[in-house]
Amino acid sequence: KAGVTQTPRYLIKTRGQQVTLSCSPISGHRSVSWYQQTPGQGLQFLFEYFSETQRNKGNFPGRFSGRQFSNSRSEMNVSTLELGDSALYLCASSLWIGGGSSNYGYTFGSGTRLTVV
Amino acid sequence: QKEVEQNSGPLSVPEGAIASLNCTYSDRGSQSFFWYRQYSGKSPELIMSIYSNGDKEDGRFTAQLNKASQYVSLLIRDSQPSDSATYLCAAYFNKFYFGSGTKLNVKP
């Protein structure tokens, strides 16, 4: 069974540029979430999509955006890159069964390591 | 107040000992709890999930949940150097809430 696939694995961009990261969830998983991870900051939640709709959003500026397609694949975009955006960006998919309190847990992709210079 | 709290460690245990990792959460509506292991430079990997009060065992790992005390723990028996990693606790209520992780060092 294929896992969560993130592309690209590594990316180097210049300040001011924009970047798009891609995530293909596990087959059958309709919930896709994105996290930013930096040393000492832990996992910072960006957003969650389910059936092409954004369910939840973290506290990131509007430069960070995402979307989900009908096949559950998701992309996130960061515009006007800043040095502080350098991080590991993780995508996770989940077999969300509905309701507020139950979940089977995430499977994370390998991540995209973004370096902004 | 953070929704999920963990001691950042590092927690150092000798090889063969029991490692005990602890986590508290603030949302009483949470019903699903998870432990993830993250090796340096890698992505988190789900190792245990627990939904009911009590203990759940899987090999050398035991997860413990006490909803009245809003407390989740992970015990690792016969700790191995390969268990050295950061362990993330997560609770789910409408979305996942992750702790900042506890770094475990298992010394040979």
Coordinates of all heavy atoms in Angstrom, one line a residue, chain A residues 35 37 42-43 45 48 55-57 88 90 94 96 99-106 108-110 113, chain B residues 29-32 34 36 38 41-46 49 51 88 92-100:
Chain A
Y35 N 1.6 20.6 7.9 CA 2.3 21.2 9.1 C 3.6 21.7 8.7 O 4.2 21.3 7.7 CB 2.5 20.0 10.1 CG 1.3 19.6 10.9 CD1 0.4 18.6 10.3 CD2 1.0 20.1 12.1 CE1 -0.7 18.2 11.0 CE2 -0.1 19.6 12.8 CZ -0.9 18.7 12.2 OH -2.1 18.3 12.9
Q37 N 7.4 22.4 10.4 CA 8.2 22.0 11.5 C 9.5 22.6 11.4 O 10.2 22.5 10.4 CB 8.3 20.5 11.6 CG 9.0 20.0 12.9 CD 9.0 18.5 13.0 OE1 9.3 17.8 12.1 NE2 8.8 18.0 14.3
G42 N 8.5 22.6 17.1 CA 7.5 21.5 17.0 C 6.7 21.6 15.8 O 7.0 22.3 14.8
L43 N 5.6 20.9 15.8 CA 4.7 20.8 14.6 C 3.7 22.0 14.7 O 2.9 22.1 15.7 CB 3.9 19.5 14.6 CG 4.7 18.3 14.2 CD1 3.9 17.0 14.4 CD2 5.1 18.3 12.7
F45 N 0.5 23.6 13.0 CA -0.6 23.3 12.1 C -0.9 24.4 11.1 O -1.1 25.5 11.5 CB -1.9 23.0 12.9 CG -3.1 22.7 12.1 CD1 -3.2 21.5 11.4 CD2 -4.1 23.6 12.1 CE1 -4.4 21.3 10.7 CE2 -5.3 23.4 11.4 CZ -5.4 22.2 10.6
E48 N -6.2 21.9 7.2 CA -6.7 20.6 6.9 C -7.8 20.7 5.9 O -8.6 21.6 5.9 CB -7.3 20.0 8.2 CG -7.9 18.6 7.9 CD -8.7 18.1 9.1 OE1 -8.9 18.8 10.1 OE2 -9.2 16.9 9.0
R55 N -11.3 22.4 6.4 CA -12.0 22.1 7.6 C -11.4 23.0 8.8 O -12.2 23.4 9.6 CB -11.9 20.7 8.0 CG -12.8 19.7 7.4 CD -12.7 18.4 8.1 NE -13.3 18.4 9.4 CZ -12.7 18.0 10.5 NH1 -11.5 17.5 10.5 NH2 -13.4 18.0 11.6
N56 N -10.1 23.1 8.8 CA -9.5 23.8 9.9 C -8.3 24.6 9.3 O -7.7 24.2 8.3 CB -8.9 22.8 10.9 CG -10.0 22.2 11.8 OD1 -10.7 22.9 12.5 ND2 -10.1 20.9 11.7
K57 N -8.0 25.7 10.0 CA -6.9 26.5 9.6 C -6.1 26.9 10.8 O -6.7 27.2 11.9 CB -7.4 27.7 8.9 CG -6.3 28.6 8.2 CD -7.0 29.8 7.5 CE -6.0 30.5 6.7 NZ -4.9 31.1 7.4
L88 N 10.7 22.2 7.5 CA 10.3 21.0 6.9 C 8.7 21.1 6.9 O 8.1 21.4 7.9 CB 10.7 19.8 7.8 CG 10.2 18.4 7.4 CD1 10.9 18.0 6.1 CD2 10.5 17.4 8.5
L90 N 5.3 19.2 6.3 CA 4.8 17.8 6.3 C 3.4 17.8 6.0 O 2.6 18.6 6.4 CB 5.0 17.2 7.8 CG 6.4 17.0 8.2 CD1 6.5 16.8 9.7 CD2 7.0 15.7 7.5
S94 N -5.4 11.1 6.7 CA -6.1 10.4 7.7 C -7.4 9.9 7.2 O -8.1 10.5 6.3 CB -6.4 11.4 8.9 OG -7.3 10.9 9.8
W96 N -10.5 10.0 8.2 CA -11.4 10.7 9.1 C -12.8 10.1 9.0 O -13.3 9.9 7.9 CB -11.4 12.2 8.8 CG -12.3 12.9 9.8 CD1 -12.2 13.0 11.2 CD2 -13.3 13.8 9.4 NE1 -13.1 13.8 11.7 CE2 -13.9 14.3 10.7 CE3 -13.9 14.2 8.2 CZ2 -14.9 15.2 10.7 CZ3 -15.0 15.1 8.3 CH2 -15.5 15.6 9.5
G99 N -17.4 13.3 12.8 CA -17.5 13.6 14.2 C -16.3 14.4 14.7 O -15.3 14.5 14.0
G100 N -16.4 14.9 15.9 CA -15.4 15.7 16.4 C -14.3 15.0 17.2 O -13.2 15.5 17.4
S101 N -14.6 13.8 17.7 CA -13.8 13.3 18.7 C -13.0 12.0 18.3 O -12.1 11.6 19.1 CB -14.6 13.0 20.0 OG -15.6 12.0 19.7
S102 N -13.3 11.5 17.2 CA -12.6 10.2 16.8 C -11.8 10.3 15.6 O -12.2 11.0 14.6 CB -13.7 9.1 16.7 OG -14.4 8.9 17.9
N103 N -10.7 9.7 15.6 CA -9.9 9.6 14.4 C -8.9 8.4 14.5 O -8.6 8.0 15.6 CB -9.1 11.0 14.3 CG -8.6 11.2 12.9 OD1 -7.7 10.5 12.4 ND2 -9.1 12.3 12.3
Y104 N -8.6 7.9 13.3 CA -7.6 6.8 13.3 C -6.2 7.2 13.3 O -5.3 6.4 13.4 CB -7.9 5.9 12.1 CG -9.2 5.2 12.1 CD1 -10.2 5.3 11.1 CD2 -9.5 4.3 13.2 CE1 -11.4 4.7 11.1 CE2 -10.7 3.7 13.2 CZ -11.6 3.8 12.2 OH -12.8 3.2 12.2
G105 N -5.9 8.5 13.3 CA -4.5 8.9 13.3 C -4.0 9.3 11.9 O -4.5 8.8 10.9
Y106 N -3.0 10.1 11.9 CA -2.3 10.5 10.7 C -1.3 9.5 10.2 O -0.6 8.8 11.0 CB -1.5 11.8 11.0 CG -2.2 13.1 11.0 CD1 -1.8 14.1 11.9 CD2 -3.3 13.4 10.2 CE1 -2.4 15.3 12.0 CE2 -3.9 14.6 10.2 CZ -3.4 15.6 11.1 OH -4.0 16.8 11.1
F108 N 2.1 10.4 8.0 CA 2.8 11.5 7.5 C 3.6 11.1 6.3 O 4.1 10.0 6.1 CB 3.8 12.0 8.6 CG 3.2 12.9 9.6 CD1 2.7 12.3 10.8 CD2 3.1 14.2 9.5 CE1 2.1 13.0 11.8 CE2 2.5 15.0 10.5 CZ 2.0 14.4 11.7
G109 N 3.8 12.1 5.4 CA 4.7 11.9 4.3 C 6.1 12.2 4.8 O 6.3 12.5 5.9
S110 N 7.1 12.0 3.8 CA 8.5 12.2 4.2 C 8.8 13.7 4.3 O 9.9 14.0 4.8 CB 9.4 11.6 3.2 OG 9.1 10.2 3.1
R113 N 11.6 19.7 2.4 CA 12.5 20.6 3.2 C 12.7 21.8 2.3 O 13.4 21.7 1.3 CB 13.8 19.9 3.5 CG 14.7 20.8 4.5 CD 15.8 20.1 5.2 NE 15.3 19.0 6.1 CZ 14.8 19.3 7.3 NH1 14.8 20.5 7.8 NH2 14.4 18.2 8.1
Chain B
G29 N -13.1 16.9 25.7 CA -13.9 16.3 24.6 C -13.0 15.3 23.8 O -13.6 14.6 23.0
S30 N -11.7 15.4 24.0 CA -10.8 14.5 23.2 C -11.1 13.0 23.5 O -11.2 12.7 24.7 CB -9.4 14.8 23.5 OG -9.0 16.1 23.2
Q31 N -11.2 12.2 22.5 CA -11.5 10.8 22.6 C -10.4 9.9 22.0 O -10.4 8.7 22.3 CB -12.8 10.5 22.0 CG -14.0 11.2 22.6 CD -14.3 10.7 24.0 OE1 -14.1 9.5 24.3 NE2 -14.7 11.6 24.9
S32 N -9.6 10.5 21.2 CA -8.6 9.7 20.4 C -7.2 10.3 20.8 O -7.0 11.5 20.7 CB -8.8 9.8 18.9 OG -10.1 9.5 18.6
F34 N -2.8 9.6 20.5 CA -1.8 9.0 19.7 C -0.4 9.3 20.2 O -0.1 10.3 20.7 CB -1.9 9.5 18.2 CG -3.3 9.3 17.7 CD1 -4.2 10.4 17.8 CD2 -3.8 8.2 17.1 CE1 -5.5 10.3 17.4 CE2 -5.1 8.1 16.6 CZ -6.0 9.1 16.7
Y36 N 3.5 9.3 18.5 CA 4.3 9.3 17.3 C 5.7 9.3 17.7 O 6.1 9.9 18.6 CB 4.0 10.5 16.4 CG 2.6 10.5 15.7 CD1 1.5 10.9 16.4 CD2 2.5 10.0 14.4 CE1 0.3 10.9 15.8 CE2 1.2 10.0 13.8 CZ 0.1 10.4 14.5 OH -1.1 10.4 13.9
Q38 N 9.5 10.2 16.2 CA 10.2 10.9 15.1 C 11.7 10.9 15.3 O 12.2 11.4 16.3 CB 9.7 12.4 15.1 CG 10.3 13.2 13.9 CD 9.7 14.6 13.7 OE1 9.2 15.2 14.7 NE2 9.7 15.1 12.5
G41 N 15.6 14.2 11.6 CA 15.6 14.4 10.1 C 14.5 13.6 9.4 O 14.4 13.6 8.2
K42 N 13.7 12.9 10.1 CA 12.6 12.1 9.5 C 11.2 12.6 9.9 O 11.1 13.5 10.7 CB 12.7 10.6 10.0 CG 14.1 10.0 9.6 CD 14.2 9.8 8.1 CE 15.5 9.0 7.8 NZ 15.7 8.9 6.3
S43 N 10.2 12.1 9.3 CA 8.8 12.5 9.6 C 8.3 11.6 10.7 O 8.8 10.5 11.0 CB 8.0 12.4 8.4 OG 7.9 11.1 7.9
P44 N 7.3 12.1 11.4 CA 6.7 11.3 12.5 C 6.0 10.1 12.0 O 5.4 10.0 11.0 CB 5.6 12.3 13.1 CG 6.1 13.7 12.7 CD 6.7 13.5 11.3
E45 N 6.1 9.0 12.9 CA 5.6 7.7 12.5 C 4.6 7.3 13.7 O 5.0 7.3 14.8 CB 6.7 6.7 12.4 CG 6.3 5.3 12.3 CD 7.5 4.3 12.5 OE1 8.5 4.8 13.0 OE2 7.3 3.1 12.2
L46 N 3.4 7.0 13.3 CA 2.4 6.5 14.3 C 2.8 5.2 14.9 O 3.0 4.2 14.2 CB 1.0 6.4 13.7 CG -0.1 6.0 14.6 CD1 -0.4 7.0 15.7 CD2 -1.4 5.8 13.8
S49 N -2.1 4.1 19.2 CA -3.3 4.9 19.3 C -4.1 4.3 20.5 O -4.0 3.0 20.7 CB -4.1 4.8 18.1 OG -4.5 3.5 17.7
Y51 N -8.0 4.8 22.7 CA -9.3 5.4 22.7 C -10.0 5.3 24.0 O -10.9 6.0 24.3 CB -10.1 4.9 21.6 CG -9.4 5.0 20.2 CD1 -8.7 3.9 19.7 CD2 -9.5 6.2 19.5 CE1 -8.1 4.0 18.5 CE2 -8.9 6.3 18.2 CZ -8.2 5.2 17.7 OH -7.6 5.3 16.5
L88 N 6.2 12.2 20.2 CA 5.1 13.2 20.1 C 3.8 12.6 20.6 O 3.4 11.5 20.1 CB 4.9 13.7 18.7 CG 6.2 14.4 18.1 CD1 5.9 14.6 16.6 CD2 6.5 15.7 18.7
Y92 N -7.0 14.2 19.7 CA -7.9 14.7 18.6 C -9.2 15.1 19.1 O -9.9 14.4 19.8 CB -8.1 13.5 17.6 CG -8.9 14.0 16.4 CD1 -8.3 14.6 15.3 CD2 -10.3 13.8 16.4 CE1 -9.1 15.1 14.3 CE2 -11.0 14.2 15.3 CZ -10.4 14.8 14.3 OH -11.2 15.3 13.2
F93 N -9.6 16.3 18.8 CA -10.9 16.8 19.0 C -11.2 17.9 17.9 O -10.7 19.0 18.0 CB -11.2 17.4 20.4 CG -12.6 17.8 20.6 CD1 -13.6 16.7 20.8 CD2 -13.1 19.1 20.6 CE1 -14.9 17.0 20.9 CE2 -14.4 19.4 20.7 CZ -15.3 18.4 20.9
N94 N -11.9 17.5 16.9 CA -12.1 18.3 15.7 C -10.8 18.5 14.9 O -10.9 18.7 13.7 CB -12.7 19.7 16.0 CG -14.1 19.5 16.4 OD1 -14.9 18.7 15.8 ND2 -14.6 20.3 17.4
K95 N -9.7 18.5 15.5 CA -8.4 18.5 14.8 C -7.4 17.9 15.7 O -7.6 17.7 16.9 CB -8.0 19.9 14.3 CG -7.7 20.9 15.4 CD -7.2 22.2 14.8 CE -6.7 23.1 15.9 NZ -6.2 24.4 15.3
F96 N -6.2 17.6 15.2 CA -5.1 17.1 16.0 C -4.4 18.2 16.8 O -4.1 19.3 16.3 CB -4.1 16.4 15.1 CG -4.6 15.0 14.7 CD1 -5.2 14.9 13.4 CD2 -4.4 13.9 15.4 CE1 -5.6 13.7 13.0 CE2 -4.8 12.7 15.0 CZ -5.5 12.6 13.8
Y97 N -4.1 17.9 18.1 CA -3.3 18.8 18.9 C -2.1 18.0 19.3 O -2.2 16.9 19.9 CB -4.1 19.2 20.1 CG -5.3 20.1 19.8 CD1 -6.5 19.5 19.6 CD2 -5.2 21.4 19.7 CE1 -7.6 20.3 19.3 CE2 -6.3 22.2 19.4 CZ -7.5 21.6 19.2 OH -8.6 22.4 18.9
F98 N -0.9 18.5 18.9 CA 0.3 17.8 19.2 C 1.1 18.5 20.3 O 1.1 19.7 20.4 CB 1.3 17.8 18.0 CG 0.9 16.8 16.9 CD1 0.0 17.1 15.9 CD2 1.5 15.6 16.9 CE1 -0.3 16.2 15.0 CE2 1.2 14.6 16.0 CZ 0.3 14.9 15.0
G99 N 1.7 17.7 21.2 CA 2.6 18.2 22.1 C 3.9 18.5 21.4 O 4.1 18.2 20.2
S100 N 4.8 19.2 22.1 CA 6.1 19.6 21.5 C 7.1 18.4 21.5 O 8.2 18.6 20.9 CB 6.7 20.8 22.3 OG 6.8 20.4 23.7

